[in-house]
């Protein structure tokens, strides 16, 4: 007896209404036009044809990246590795050119490496059913590491020289830059694929209603896999455009581009709507973002503010999109595995847990074997100190994953909190007040996220994704990308050994786990955290206020992030805007490796502790080998992906054996 | 024993959905310490009535009075605070929590802000004892059997000390022994003065357990009566009434065997079931809730993977490879969860109809031939009488009946020769219902084979050439509409000695 919510929107014809309908369907097009007019009126430079060409050129690679992202968003996924793919593609193309091969070959190499990374993502996400966020965060780090290692062999820079490449960078056709034309041509091709081919139709169906699409006979996992591969190839093409424009490949290329890719999609479409994305929206989103960047540059706003603005625009677009189309379906969170419901047998759970413990011991033994200094007491102390912030944040991440509120912002929020504390100190506020300002900042960001998640029903994952971008951007802009020192009294306190050489960090970790355990197992809140992750409907049926619960969950997680911020600030002795980079991945990986499910409802703190131990040993062991960032990223990313793969294999095996 | 003042009075309640009148002036009165049976076919309005009482729906007309005072049940939480607790058919327990945690969810006892685990445990243990259950409140729900979970569900409802307990088909997943336990528990509650609304299709239970019963038909109140002197046959009569057949099929002739199913087994739901489906035949599978008919349909459509058994299509074995494999072999599934498992809500009507047949006829080299597609879907829309302003409207804006017709058109265009439908007219208004029956008849006459899973007996009798009756995962009877009437079929389903 389902009440059909039919006939929601009945529209009548008529020219005036047709126009109104067009605007209502394309609000961002109107916004772009208004922005354009406003910018032209307020700046004499903005409206010139030279500046227009400039905007077009700057838009080219971002548009292609946005196209790449839209293929996976369309089928209900997400890909955070596109920025790293840009670096890999540009590097490889540059090297092929430097080795004297034909430019066409260089272009193919760039697109090929992109497709290869896309294939890897596809296998891990669709083949092994690991969450796309965590997989692509892993490939983001591993691919960046790989590219930097390769680039390192060429003294970290490669010059781009070649006939086709310089043509793309310099030629114009009827006043329009060639690279912008190429990007628009790719957009047209993708538009045709989506609108006119069976593949496009099936992608729409898969994103719109995966279960229905599956029963309609579509091979949805295969279709989504193809989307990841196409995404990778397009990101590779974007890498070629970046290479032509910069002319010089250096390690900073592609950094943060994944933010822009997500932002242009969300700006155009008002969120990340699986199954309902249009290419025209991505084009409009790209031009809005690039016009804003351009205007900022004209007005003399430092480039460091670009990321902040991107993140805030992303957040604004998603909130506005939600408010405007409240009644029309859900915005996808990129969870690609909802349709395959299979329980894991007890045996499988036990085995995957003991497998992690075994892997941890094995990893430690390897480091003991290759590095005599690994198993020394000072190193054990260092291991704890280095990873204390991770451990504390991982407690919060456990609560988040149990309640299905995955948070990818802790790294960025820690950086922002530390920066605020240091700036307050610099402005002359006393040390405790400065710390309070930092803690307050962390809690405020989480409370804001919690309000949005609770009130608007947006998925925590995409709300914290925005915070991941804007909080990091704000930390960079506030400090002008420099490190700011902090009160020596606090730093000394945090680094003074208390007993056995351990500083206050060790008891703080213990305290965090204890607090987490009490919260999860000794308060009504904890039971509800498990209940919410298990099945939100049950929570509503039991008469619990779901919005308040979601807000509470994020605030509690914010408290743990604040704890991590204090540890980070104390250990570094200063606020670096880059602090905590990759911490979110470590924290989520620790929880997932420990045995919690991304689907929520399960997870234990002691398993998280083992997961943290595994990563701590990995971090410490690798840094003890005195390698550069490049190797570190490559090896760490690969080991994390390998560990996740192993866990997923064990699970798949036991699901098959256990339930069918 | 029943007292004089009614605890709950429902006065000419009405509720309509787009295209459907779900409740039309239904009245009922419930006294403390009374077990009140609620009987009616699918679509009679039972679920709507329950949902109104438990605060999930608000009525359009009529009044509810508790202890003589009019109330409006605002939401599930409000219903609980008014003393109305409901146990639904589908389980609502969290498997990763303990029994005690499930029972006290949302009302956890605390001491100084922390959980008072001892109190919640003793409280849960008391509630379990009240139901005559002997397992520990600390056990995880995932370690309990289905029947035990059903009892925990009732314990959860009792934990709020309701004055009125609504049980919706509580014995659907229970065996004989567990059912008896439940009846004992209901007896105890009755003695405590709790009023129980007991919804069930199992007339033997209703007759044994209930003091009074209310019968609904097509959203209308038929009778409220003391059950003294009533028989299963008389209840069946009241439930079915004298119906005017809106759709009368003429005879079809069945051809060769298209699909043969052998020894199908799935979990605890289907046991070594075998049957054959012939060309041009409509085969109905029916039974009580949970008898295994839904699982068989989902296995045929590739949605569920059987543990053992084989399916042979046109003489060739059909190895399981998901819905893709089934649809490629020409077997299509339309489930009762049309909103989630059937339609593509934001795609257009044209895209929804065309999605299953993109590759074979309207695309060359992966490019959709739009004009041809428009032509074909346009024809299907007029053939199937789908009411839509254009082919380009979003699927979600159509009514349930039109959505169902569009799904039939989808598989017609895809040339599926075996259609498997679960409750094909659930949520479909009366007018569209006859349309759908007529379409299914036409499809069968054109040589397609159709399996219909339905618990709607008039529907089964109107549509089917043959009827298979299932009980506890096994086919227990095979019959045809010419051999049985509704009463006899109902008795077969109930498992009574007659027929």
């Amino acid at each position: 007896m389902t009440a059909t919510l039919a006939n929601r929107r009945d529209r009548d014809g008529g020219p005036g209404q047709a126009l109104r309908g067009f605007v209502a369907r394309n609000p961002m097009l109107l916004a772009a036009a208004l922005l354009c007019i406003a910018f032209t009126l307020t700046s004499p430079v903005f409206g010139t044809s030279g500046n227009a060409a400039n905007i077009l050129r700057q838009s080219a690679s971002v548009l292609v990246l946005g196209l790449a992202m839209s293929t996976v968003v369309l089928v209900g996924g997400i890909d955070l590795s596109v920025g790293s793919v840009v670096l890999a593609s540009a590097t490889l193309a540059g090297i092929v050119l430097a080795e004297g091969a034909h430019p066409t070959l260089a272009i193919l190499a760039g697109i090929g490496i992109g497709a290869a990374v896309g294939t890897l993502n596809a296998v891990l996400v669709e083949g092994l059913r690991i969450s796309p966020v965590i997989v692509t965060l892993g490939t983001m780090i591993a691919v960046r590491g790989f590219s930097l290692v390769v680039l390192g062999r060429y003294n970290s820079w490669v010059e781009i020289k070649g006939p086709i490449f310089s043509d793309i960078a310099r030629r114009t056709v009827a006043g329009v830059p060639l690279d912008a034309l190429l990007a628009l041509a790719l957009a047209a091709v993708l538009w045709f694929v989506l609108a006119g081919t069976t593949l496009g139709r099936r992608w729409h169906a898969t994103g719109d209603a995966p279960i229905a699409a599956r029963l309609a006979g579509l091979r949805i996992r295969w279709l989504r896999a193809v989307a990841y591969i196409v995404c990778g190839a397009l990101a590779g093409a974007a890498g070629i455009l970046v290479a032509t424009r910069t002319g010089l490949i250096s390690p900073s290329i592609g950094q943060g581009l994944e933010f822009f890719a997500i932002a242009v999609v969300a700006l155009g479409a008002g969120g990340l709507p699986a199954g309902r994305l249009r290419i025209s929206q991505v084009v409009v989103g790209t031009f809005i973002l690039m016009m804003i960047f351009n205007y900022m540059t004209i007005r003399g706003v430092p480039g460091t503010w670009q990321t902040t603005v991107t993140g805030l625009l992303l957040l604004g677009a998603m909130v506005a999109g939600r408010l405007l189309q409240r009644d029309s379906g859900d915005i996808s969170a990129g969870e690609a595995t909802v349709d395959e419901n299979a329980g894991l047998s007890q045996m499988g759970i036990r085995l995957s847990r003991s497998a992690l413990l075994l892997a941890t011991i094995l990893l430690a033994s390897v480091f003991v074997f290759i590095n005599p200094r690994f198993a020394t007491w000072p190193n054990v102390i260092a291991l704890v100190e280095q990873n204390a912030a991770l451990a504390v944040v991982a407690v919060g991440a456990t609560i988040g994953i149990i309640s299905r509120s995955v948070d990818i912002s802790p790294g960025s929020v820690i950086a922002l909190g530390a920066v605020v504390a240091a700036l307050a100190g610099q402005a002359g506020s006393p040390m405790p007040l400065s710390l309070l300002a930092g803690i307050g900042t962390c809690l405020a960001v989480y409370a804001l996220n919690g309000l949005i998640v609770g009130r608007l029903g947006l998925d925590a994952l995409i709300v914290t994704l925005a915070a991941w971008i804007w909080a990091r951007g704000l930390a960079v802009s506030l400090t002008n990308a420099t490190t700011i020192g902090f009160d020596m009294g606090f730093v000394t306190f945090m680094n003074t050994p208390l007993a056995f050489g351990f500083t206050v960090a060790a008891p703080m970790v213990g305290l965090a786990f204890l607090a987490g355990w009490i919260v999860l197992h000794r308060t009504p809140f904890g039971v509800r955290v498990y209940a919410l992750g298990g099945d939100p409907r049950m929570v509503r049926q039991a008469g619990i206020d779901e919005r308040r619960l979601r807000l509470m969950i994020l605030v509690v997680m914010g408290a743990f992030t604040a704890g991590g911020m204090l540890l980070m600030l104390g250990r570094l002795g200063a606020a670096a805007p880059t602090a905590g980079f990759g911490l979110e991945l470590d924290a989520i990986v620790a929880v997932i490796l420990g045995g919690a499910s991304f689907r929520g409802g399960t997870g234990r703190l002691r398993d998280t502790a083992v997961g943290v131990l595994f990563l701590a040993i990995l971090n410490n062991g690798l840094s003890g080998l005195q390698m550069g960032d490049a190797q570190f990223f490559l090896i760490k990313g690969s080991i994390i992906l390998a560990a996740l793969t192993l866990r997923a294999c064990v699970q798949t095996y036991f699901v098959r054996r256990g339930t069918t | 024993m029943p007292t004089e003042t009614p605890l709950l009075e429902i006065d000419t309640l009405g509720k309509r959905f787009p295209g459907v009148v779900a409740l039309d002036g239904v009245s009922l009165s419930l006294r403390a310490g009374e077990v009140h049976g609620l009987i009616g076919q699918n679509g009679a309005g039972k679920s709507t009535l329950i949902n109104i009482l438990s605060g999930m729906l608000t009525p359009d007309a009529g009044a509810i009075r508790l202890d003589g005072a009019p109330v409006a049940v605002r939401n599930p939480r409000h219903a609980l605070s008014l003393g109305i607790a409901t146990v639904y058919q589908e389980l609502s327990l969290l498997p990763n929590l303990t029994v005690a945690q499930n029972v006290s969810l949302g009302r956890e006892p605390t001491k100084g802000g922390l959980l008072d685990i001892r109190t919640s445990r003793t409280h849960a243990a008391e509630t379990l004892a009240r139901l005559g259950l002997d397992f520990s409140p600390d056990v995880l729900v995932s370690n309990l059997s289905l029947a035990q979970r059903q009892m925990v569900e009732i314990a959860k409802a009792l934990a709020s000390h309701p004055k009125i307990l609504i049980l919706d088909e509580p014995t659907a997943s229970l065996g004989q022994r567990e059912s008896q336990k439940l009846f004992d528990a209901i007896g105890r509650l009755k003695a405590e003065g709790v009023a129980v609304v007991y919804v069930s299709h199992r007339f033997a239970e209703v007759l044994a357990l209930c003091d009074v019963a209310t019968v609904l038909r097509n959203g209308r109140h038929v009778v409220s009566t003391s059950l003294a002197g009533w028989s299963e046959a008389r209840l069946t009569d009241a439930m079915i009434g004298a119906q005017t057949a809106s759709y009368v099929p003429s005879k079809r002739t069945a051809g060769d065997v298209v699909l043969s199913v052998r020894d199908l087994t799935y979990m605890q739901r289907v046991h070594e079931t075998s049957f054959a489906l012939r060309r041009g035949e409509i085969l109905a599978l029916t039974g009580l809730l949970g008898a295994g008919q839904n699982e068989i349909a989902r296995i045929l459509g590739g949605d569920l993977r059987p543990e053992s058994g084989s399916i042979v299509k046109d003489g060739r074995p059909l190895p399981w490879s998901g819905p893709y494999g089934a649809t490629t072999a020409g077997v299509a599934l339309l489930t009762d969860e049309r909103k989630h498992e059937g339609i593509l809500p934001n795609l257009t009507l044209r895209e929804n109809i065309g999605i299953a047949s993109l590759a074979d006829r309207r695309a060359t080299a992966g490019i959709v031939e739009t004009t041809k597609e428009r032509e074909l879907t346009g024809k299907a829309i007029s053939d199937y009488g789908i009411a839509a302003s254009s082919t380009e409207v979003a699927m979600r804006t159509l009514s349930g009946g039109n959505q169902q017709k569009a799904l039939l058109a989808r598989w017609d265009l895809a040339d599926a020769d075996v259609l498997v439908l679960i409750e094909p007219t659930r949520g479909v208004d009366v007018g569209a219902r006859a349309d759908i029956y007529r379409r299914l008849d036409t499809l069968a006459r054109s040589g397609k084979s159709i399996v219909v899973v339905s618990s709607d007996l008039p529907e089964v009798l109107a549509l089917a050439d043959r009827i298979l009756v299932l009980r506890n995962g096994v086919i227990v009877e095979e019959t045809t509409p010419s051999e049985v009437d509704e009463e006899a079929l109902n008795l077969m389903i109930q498992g009574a000695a007659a027929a």
Side-chain angles (χ1 to χ4, degrees), chain B residues 253-299:
Chain B
T253 43
D256 311 330
V257 170
V258 175
L259 196 76
S260 70
V261 172
R262 192 147 302 145
D263 297 335
L264 220 53
T265 299
Y266 179 78
M267 310 285 277
Q268 298 299 314
R269 300 302 197 97
V270 182
H271 304 285
E272 304 200 338
T273 298
S274 306
F275 61 91
L277 178 68
R278 295 174 174 280
R279 190 171 309 284
E281 167 184 60
I282 300 183
L283 176 67
L285 303 182
T286 187
L288 289 170
L289 190 76
Q293 63 274 39
N294 284 23
E295 284 78 5
I296 291 177
R298 284 180 185 270
I299 290 169

Side-chain angles (χ1 to χ4, degrees), chain A residues 10-348:
Chain A
D10 278 352
R11 259 197 222 101
D12 288 341
Q17 252 159 342
L19 181 68
R20 214 181 301 160
F22 178 78
V23 172
R25 265 174 281 129
N26 301 281
M28 294 321 283
L29 193 61
L30 185 71
L34 290 178
L35 267 183
C36 196
I37 294 168
F39 288 168
T40 313
L41 289 180
T42 54
S43 157
V45 190
F46 187 83
T48 62
S49 63
N51 192 52
N54 211 2
I55 293 176
L56 282 173
R57 255 193 214 296
Q58 284 163 348
S59 303
S61 57
V62 176
L63 174 58
V64 176
L65 266 192
L67 296 177
M69 188 64 73
S70 50
T71 60
V72 288
V73 166
L74 182 65
V75 296
I78 199 160
D79 185 351
L80 300 176
S81 69
V82 290
S84 298
V85 168
V86 163
L87 175 64
S89 156
T91 303
L92 208 65
I95 289 170
V96 171
L97 276 185
E99 298 296 333
H102 191 270
T104 323
L105 214 59
I107 292 172
L108 286 178
I111 295 173
I113 185 82
V117 176
T119 309
L120 179 65
N121 286 336
V123 167
L124 294 176
V125 172
E126 295 305 331
L128 296 172
R129 298 177 193 169
I130 310 174
S131 157
V133 175
I134 190 160
V135 164
T136 56
L137 265 175
T139 45
M140 168 177 127
I141 289 187
V143 170
R144 175 155 290 274
F146 164 79
S147 316
L148 292 179
V149 168
V150 173
L151 201 56
R153 295 190 182 272
Y154 290 79
N155 293 324
S156 287
W157 63 271
V158 180
E159 207 179 340
I160 298 285
K161 268 188 299 197
I164 298 183
F165 281 76
S166 48
D167 284 349
I168 293 176
R170 288 194 202 97
R171 281 265 180 97
T172 57
V173 176
V176 183
L178 187 58
D179 47 2
L181 273 182
L182 282 175
L184 287 171
L186 276 178
V189 170
L190 192 59
W191 172 82
F192 178 74
V193 169
L194 294 190
T197 69
T198 57
L199 179 69
R201 186 72 60 79
R202 286 170 178 156
W203 273 348
H204 277 106
T206 303
D208 191 30
I211 301 174
R214 175 172 171 266
L215 285 179
L218 306 190
R219 286 181 285 184
I220 56 171
R221 289 171 73 193
W222 178 246
L223 285 164
R224 286 192 292 226
V226 172
Y228 278 98
I229 297 169
V230 170
C231 172
L234 281 171
I240 300 295
L241 289 180
V242 169
T244 60
R245 245 182 78 73
T246 55
L248 191 72
I249 310 303
S250 66
S252 66
I253 276 183
Q255 218 157 28
L257 276 184
E258 56 277 343
F259 303 159
F260 296 167
I262 295 167
V264 297
V265 174
L267 268 180
L272 302 174
R276 278 178 290 143
L277 196 62
R278 294 200 305 267
I279 292 304
S280 59
Q281 295 173 325
V282 181
V283 176
V284 170
T286 305
F287 285 125
I288 290 181
L289 189 69
M290 296 325 281
M291 280 194 310
I292 292 175
F293 282 179
N294 179 269
Y295 188 72
M296 282 165 60
T297 313
I298 292 173
R299 287 274 148 188
V301 180
T304 49
W305 282 93
Q306 286 190 352
T307 314
T308 313
V309 169
T310 309
L312 291 174
L313 282 174
L314 172 60
L315 189 69
M318 287 189 304
V319 169
R322 190 57 164 192
L323 289 175
L324 286 176
Q325 33 181 289
R326 229 173 195 200
D327 54 340
S328 63
D330 283 315
I331 293 172
S332 154
E335 179 62 67
T337 50
V338 274
D339 56 313
E340 320 275 351
N341 291 312
L344 187 58
S345 67
Q346 289 297 315
M347 180 72 176

Side-chain angles (χ1 to χ4, degrees), chain A residues 1-10 192 195-199 201-202 204-206 208-209 211-219 274-276 327-329 346 518 520-524 527-528 530-535 537-545 600-602 656 659-660, chain B residues 17-18 42-43 45 47-48 56 76-77 80 88 91-94 96-97 101 105-108 110 113-115 117 267 302-303 305 307 320 323-324 327 333 335 339-347 350-351 355-356 358-359 363 366-368 373 396-400 410-411 426-427:
Chain A
M1 235 135 304
T2 41
T4 44
L5 294 165
N7 303 320
R8 217 178 259 139
R9 251 184 270 175
D10 278 352
F192 178 74
T197 69
T198 57
L199 179 69
R201 186 72 60 79
R202 286 170 178 156
H204 277 106
T206 303
D208 191 30
I211 301 174
R214 175 172 171 266
L215 285 179
L218 306 190
R219 286 181 285 184
R276 278 178 290 143
D327 54 340
S328 63
Q346 289 297 315
I518 290 175
L520 276 178
H521 297 289
R522 286 293 175 270
T523 63
V527 182
R528 291 165 191 190
Y530 277 98
L532 187 66
D535 194 337
R537 283 174 312 170
M538 305 303 116
V539 171
R540 265 167 260 150
Q541 256 184 30
I544 297 168
D545 186 350
T602 64
R656 289 220 176 105
T659 59
T660 60
Chain B
F17 297 118
N42 288 325
S47 307
T48 311
M56 307 282 269
R77 195 182 189 173
L80 278 182
Y88 293 96
L91 293 179
S92 66
L93 298 176
L94 292 151
N96 290 317
L97 297 185
Q101 285 172 328
L105 185 67
R107 293 181 298 270
E108 296 87 353
T110 55
L114 294 186
L115 273 182
I117 292 178
M267 310 285 277
D303 186 36
R305 181 178 200 152
E307 278 157 51
W320 190 89
Y324 172 73
T327 52
L333 171 68
T335 77
K339 263 163 115 185
H340 302 112
E341 303 184 334
I343 63 163
L344 306 163
N346 293 298
L347 269 57
R350 167 175 59 85
E351 290 166 330
I355 191 71
L358 281 176
I367 295 167
V368 182
E373 186 184 53
R396 66 183 145 78
T397 61
L398 299 184
S399 72
R410 172 195 287 179
W411 293 113
R426 180 169 294 176

Side-chain angles (χ1 to χ4, degrees), chain A residues 537-619:
Chain A
R537 283 174 312 170
M538 305 303 116
V539 171
R540 265 167 260 150
Q541 256 184 30
I544 297 168
D545 186 350
E546 192 189 341
R547 301 171 179 192
R548 228 187 101 223
L549 181 59
R550 290 196 185 276
L551 171 62
M552 281 285 291
I553 287 172
L554 278 170
V555 170
V556 168
M557 288 162 75
F560 286 100
T561 299
M565 186 272 294
L566 292 182
L567 285 165
M568 189 74 84
L569 192 59
R571 196 171 69 81
L572 298 179
T578 52
F581 182 77
L583 191 70
E584 56 284 330
L585 176 65
D586 278 11
I588 295 171
V589 165
V591 179
I592 295 294
L593 280 182
S597 162
F598 238 95
R599 284 193 212 110
T602 64
R604 304 188 305 185
L605 276 175
R606 59 190 127 135
D607 297 326
T608 299
V610 180
V612 170
L613 190 64
F614 177 84
L615 286 172
I617 289 173
L618 185 62
N619 286 337

Side-chain angles (χ1 to χ4, degrees), chain B residues 363-412:
Chain B
T364 28
I367 295 167
V368 182
E369 287 177 29
T370 321
T371 25
K372 208 165 160 193
E373 186 184 53
R374 265 176 222 279
E375 202 178 293
L376 278 169
T377 46
K379 187 172 177 300
I381 288 169
S382 62
D383 277 358
Y384 277 77
I386 300 168
S389 50
S390 87
T391 57
E392 304 307 304
V393 294
M395 189 70 165
R396 66 183 145 78
T397 61
L398 299 184
S399 72
N402 284 318
Q403 288 177 350
Q404 187 72 328
K405 288 184 208 166
L407 293 181
L408 282 176
R410 172 195 287 179
W411 293 113
D412 193 0

Side-chain angles (χ1 to χ4, degrees), chain B residues 92-331:
Chain B
S92 66
L93 298 176
L94 292 151
N96 290 317
L97 297 185
T98 66
V99 171
Q101 285 172 328
N102 266 293
V103 167
S104 67
L105 185 67
R107 293 181 298 270
E108 296 87 353
T110 55
K111 214 193 260 170
L114 294 186
L115 273 182
D116 184 351
I117 292 178
R118 192 175 302 163
T119 306
S120 102
R121 191 182 293 149
T122 36
H123 184 188
E126 275 165 18
T127 318
L128 292 180
R130 222 170 135 195
L131 289 170
L133 301 171
D134 52 4
F135 46 85
S136 150
D138 294 326
V139 67
L140 284 181
V141 167
S142 58
N143 293 333
L144 296 179
S145 72
L146 205 58
Q148 287 171 320
R149 288 186 201 195
Q150 179 71 48
M151 296 300 274
V152 173
E153 197 79 53
I154 295 166
K156 189 175 151 189
L158 283 183
S160 60
H161 295 287
K163 288 184 285 184
I164 299 165
L165 179 66
I166 304 172
L167 300 171
D168 190 1
E169 296 259 7
T171 53
S173 56
L174 301 186
Q176 201 91 56
R177 236 186 43 225
E178 290 105 351
S179 296
Q180 195 50 55
K181 264 193 182 168
L182 175 70
F183 301 152
D184 293 347
I186 291 176
R188 271 193 291 268
L189 293 175
K190 190 175 155 175
E192 290 172 27
V194 176
V196 178
V197 176
Y198 191 88
V199 182
S200 181
H201 275 115
R202 301 181 190 210
F203 292 166
E205 287 174 17
V206 172
L207 287 171
L209 200 63
C210 301
D211 308 301
V212 273
T214 293
V215 181
L216 302 182
R217 197 193 306 145
N218 295 330
R220 292 213 181 84
H221 183 257
V222 177
V223 66
S224 283
T225 172
S226 156
L227 284 171
W230 282 66
S231 65
E232 290 189 36
R234 200 167 157 204
L235 270 180
T236 307
D237 264 349
M239 179 177 86
I240 294 163
Q243 293 202 329
T244 48
S246 56
Y247 165 78
V248 185
S250 49
K251 211 79 197 101
R252 287 180 296 262
T253 43
D256 311 330
V257 170
V258 175
L259 196 76
S260 70
V261 172
R262 192 147 302 145
D263 297 335
L264 220 53
T265 299
Y266 179 78
M267 310 285 277
Q268 298 299 314
R269 300 302 197 97
V270 182
H271 304 285
E272 304 200 338
T273 298
S274 306
F275 61 91
L277 178 68
R278 295 174 174 280
R279 190 171 309 284
E281 167 184 60
I282 300 183
L283 176 67
L285 303 182
T286 187
L288 289 170
L289 190 76
Q293 63 274 39
N294 284 23
E295 284 78 5
I296 291 177
R298 284 180 185 270
I299 290 169
L300 291 181
D303 186 36
L304 293 178
R305 181 178 200 152
E307 278 157 51
S308 61
S310 63
I311 300 171
V312 175
K313 168 108 196 300
D314 299 323
R316 267 193 305 260
L318 191 62
W320 190 89
S321 58
Y324 172 73
T327 52
T328 313
V331 183

